[in-house]
Amino acid sequence: MVRLSHRGICVNDIAASERFYRDALGFEPYQDHGVIEGPDMAKTMQIPGVQLRAVMLKRQDGPVIELLQFLEPPATGPREKRSTLQYGLVHISFYVDDIDAWAARIAKAGGTIYEETRAYFAANDTTMLYCTDPDGVRVELMKSPGEAERFSHSGICVEDIDASLNYYEALGFTPAENYVLDQGFDWLGVINEVPGIKLRAQMVRDAGGNTIELLKVLEPASFGSRERQPLNRFGLTHIAFWDDDPATTAAELAERGGYFVEEAHVTTPMIELMHGADPDGVRIELMRPISSAG
């Protein structure tokens, strides 16, 4: 059995990020792992001498995030809003009752509001706005009639939706809503800051209601690396799953266009960990609790 555990975020200041996600986005304390280090962690993360702080937060409607602050070696990369045309993990998204109230909380908690991205999709009466967390992670706010205030989804920019559908099916996700937006809509160009953009947004959902948006940009071309990035790179880093049989799942995912790194496979007295990537380089972590740990 495979089930979604959490989404990981590499941050510059774990205290500041914890305040942001609690005060602005409604997450609550869940698990504090303290300082993580040692040879097993160095091996599975493929970062020699790694030392980091890890805190997990959870919203009442289900989603869990893991905030990672790397102490040694320090994290690298830009701490700024990444393009929605860039392959890999793009954003986290929320339905909200009051966009302006949420935006005010985000700004007060240390985030940034991009008012120029405010857009209105008349076909389904939805208003959208992009913000970012203190490390540049995109936070999408959506207000739509009939949608309760809740976490909606996380987004991935992909090269081939069919290939990604096939991959995530092995992790328990099935196709849900599908939006083909290939008319060069003005509102779509505004929210993405790319005039004339055309895309397809295929939602996939698991039995627990967790949703991922597979985003295929039709015009202009997507860009960036489709290789797995280091965990100590600022921004959204990985998606983690609990798995009763990670070796079998890893083999199936490899057949579906992903891969796992045997050198990063570790088993501690508490947990078995495997790290790999989906067809677009999104880091996937499989975790199996060891029964003797209680």
Side-chain angles (χ1 to χ4, degrees):
M1 180 178 179
V2 184
R3 54 205 180 278
L4 180 67
S5 169
H6 63 269
R7 300 161 176 87
I9 305 172
C10 176
V11 305
N12 180 62
D13 182 333
I14 203 163
S17 292
E18 186 172 1
R19 286 195 302 272
F20 175 85
Y21 281 95
R22 291 175 64 177
D23 295 348
L25 302 182
F27 285 85
E28 299 175 352
Y30 184 50
Q31 294 174 343
D32 188 338
H33 295 293
V35 175
I36 298 175
E37 58 187 333
D40 285 328
M41 290 301 101
K43 179 180 179 181
T44 196
M45 294 183 178
Q46 296 182 283
I47 304 175
V50 70
Q51 183 184 72
L52 70 151
R53 282 272 289 115
V55 171
M56 303 187 80
L57 305 176
K58 182 177 182 178
R59 273 182 55 96
Q60 289 188 356
D61 52 0
V64 177
I65 57 172
E66 180 180 42
L67 303 179
L68 305 172
Q69 180 183 349
F70 285 82
L71 307 175
E72 294 293 339
T76 62
R79 296 173 59 217
E80 57 191 38
K81 173 168 53 81
R82 60 180 280 157
S83 171
T84 54
L85 277 66
Q86 188 172 348
Y87 290 118
L89 291 164
V90 175
H91 67 276
I92 54 176
S93 181
F94 297 80
Y95 278 111
V96 303
D97 292 334
D98 186 332
I99 281 184
D100 292 330
W102 272 62
R105 289 204 306 269
I106 285 172
K108 184 178 180 180
T112 302
I113 314 305
Y114 295 89
E115 186 59 39
E116 65 273 19
T117 68
R118 187 184 291 256
Y120 177 64
F121 181 20
N124 64 357
D125 193 18
T126 298
T127 300
M128 295 159 284
L129 178 69
Y130 266 125
C131 312
T132 55
D133 81 351
D135 295 289
V137 171
R138 279 185 181 261
V139 178
E140 181 183 38
L141 305 180
M142 304 184 295
K143 178 177 172 57
S144 185
E147 293 288 356
E149 191 166 273
R150 60 181 171 84
F151 181 83
S152 173
H153 63 270
S154 53
I156 304 173
C157 180
V158 306
E159 173 64 20
D160 184 326
I161 281 185
D162 289 338
S164 294
L165 282 171
N166 185 50
Y167 181 90
Y168 282 95
E169 181 183 31
L171 291 169
F173 289 84
T174 57
E177 301 85 4
N178 181 41
Y179 306 99
V180 179
L181 305 170
D182 58 358
Q183 302 301 306
F185 296 110
D186 289 342
W187 65 268
L188 192 62
V190 170
I191 187 66
N192 287 282
E193 301 176 274
V194 182
I197 188 173
K198 301 177 182 180
L199 58 84
R200 174 184 170 192
Q202 172 69 63
M203 316 304 281
V204 295
R205 189 168 295 120
D206 68 8
N210 299 296
T211 304
I212 294 173
E213 179 184 49
L214 303 176
L215 178 65
K216 167 61 179 177
V217 180
L218 306 173
E219 293 182 17
S222 294
F223 66 91
S225 173
R226 295 175 64 217
E227 299 296 324
R228 187 181 61 143
Q229 298 301 301
L231 270 170
N232 61 336
R233 185 171 178 83
F234 290 121
L236 291 162
T237 55
H238 67 287
I239 309 175
F241 297 83
W242 290 112
D243 191 347
D244 296 335
D245 188 358
T248 297
T249 301
E252 184 171 1
L253 291 173
E255 291 180 356
R256 296 175 182 231
Y259 66 88
F260 280 82
V261 180
E262 183 55 37
E263 291 81 3
H265 183 187
V266 302
T267 302
T268 77
M270 300 290 289
I271 194 169
E272 179 181 8
L273 300 168
M274 299 186 71
H275 281 267
D278 78 356
D280 294 287
V282 172
R283 183 182 286 263
I284 301 296
E285 180 181 32
L286 301 180
M287 309 180 297
R288 180 179 68 88
I290 305 301
S291 58
S292 61

